Amino acid sequence: MAGPLLGLCLCLGALQAAAATVELSGVKLEDPVSVAGSSLQLNGAGVRYKAVFKVYTAGLYLSQKAGTPDEVLAAPGPKRMTITMLREIDSAELGKLFSRGMEDNMERSAFSKLIPGVIRMSQVFSDHKKLKEGETFVLDWIPGTGTVLTIKGNVEGEPFKEPEFFNALMRIWLGPKPADWQLKDALLGKKK
């Protein structure tokens, strides 16, 4: 009797391990998630701090683990970045910070090619006025489709077609001048 019971317990344990949840500052991040029919694993997650204040949690999902920014940018298949607010923030200001973060982490000529998409993304954030504590937005890279921006559960407009646009967004957190160095390390799965 012990054999079948032990087997059942091991199977249940494996199922629980296969679908885990990571919790950061009260925000639950599922692991794995499904994007465009692909299973993505949580590469890393952390909290964005501004001075001493927690601003948001971020989770980076990839098809396989990546430990460097170059590995993340080169990773094949769909990718996802989730952001959940830990405090209310003016959405237009967030859009401007994203634009500046992209510009700070790219060559000027490469950034200039993305300006129409940056303007459109900033407008989407401006239209939302505020993102409140607990509200989420998601950036999905889907090959053949582009970058899909989902705010508060609603897809916003047409996808941004250029692969460079998603990578420019990722450089906000993973570039040479990241928004938060500790968050960069956390997203790359580096332990404190």
Side-chain angles (χ1 to χ4, degrees):
M1 186 68 170
L5 186 58
L6 178 62
L8 178 62
C9 289
L10 289 174
C11 286
L12 289 174
L15 286 174
Q16 287 176 330
T21 302
V22 174
E23 188 168 329
L24 284 172
S25 295
V27 175
K28 293 180 180 176
L29 295 140
E30 297 300 320
D31 187 18
V33 298
S34 180
V35 175
S38 294
S39 180
L40 303 182
Q41 61 183 306
L42 186 62
N43 194 72
V47 175
R48 164 74 164 108
Y49 285 88
K50 182 81 171 175
V52 297
F53 301 104
K54 293 179 180 181
V55 182
Y56 56 77
T57 63
L60 175 62
Y61 293 87
L62 304 170
S63 58
Q64 57 192 26
K65 291 284 187 177
T68 67
D70 288 340
E71 289 173 357
V72 171
L73 299 178
K79 303 173 196 177
R80 170 173 281 181
M81 175 73 85
T82 63
I83 307 286
T84 302
M85 305 312 298
L86 297 175
R87 61 186 313 110
E88 185 174 294
I89 189 166
D90 178 271
S91 298
E93 182 63 26
L94 187 64
K96 288 177 193 170
L97 290 172
F98 277 18
S99 298
R100 189 170 47 204
M102 291 167 75
E103 188 174 13
D104 287 350
N105 287 287
M106 298 179 71
E107 292 180 15
R108 187 168 299 284
S109 60
F111 179 75
S112 66
K113 293 176 187 173
L114 300 178
I115 287 177
V118 171
I119 291 170
R120 186 162 66 94
M121 184 190 66
S122 293
Q123 184 59 51
V124 168
F125 278 106
S126 292
D127 291 346
H128 279 274
K129 308 292 185 232
K130 298 224 177 273
L131 284 171
K132 297 179 181 158
E133 181 179 345
E135 291 182 333
T136 299
F137 68 91
V138 178
L139 302 163
D140 284 329
W141 167 250
I142 302 171
T145 299
T147 301
V148 177
L149 174 60
T150 305
I151 301 177
K152 303 176 197 174
N154 298 311
V155 173
E156 297 291 332
E158 291 297 312
F160 300 85
K161 300 284 185 202
E162 315 84 3
E164 300 82 16
F165 191 80
F166 185 82
N167 285 345
L169 286 169
M170 291 303 96
R171 285 186 184 97
I172 293 169
W173 300 283
L174 302 176
K177 298 176 184 174
D180 181 314
W181 284 96
Q182 287 182 327
L183 178 57
K184 176 179 178 175
D185 287 346
L187 292 171
L188 292 172
K190 297 178 181 174
K191 304 291 182 211
K192 291 182 183 177

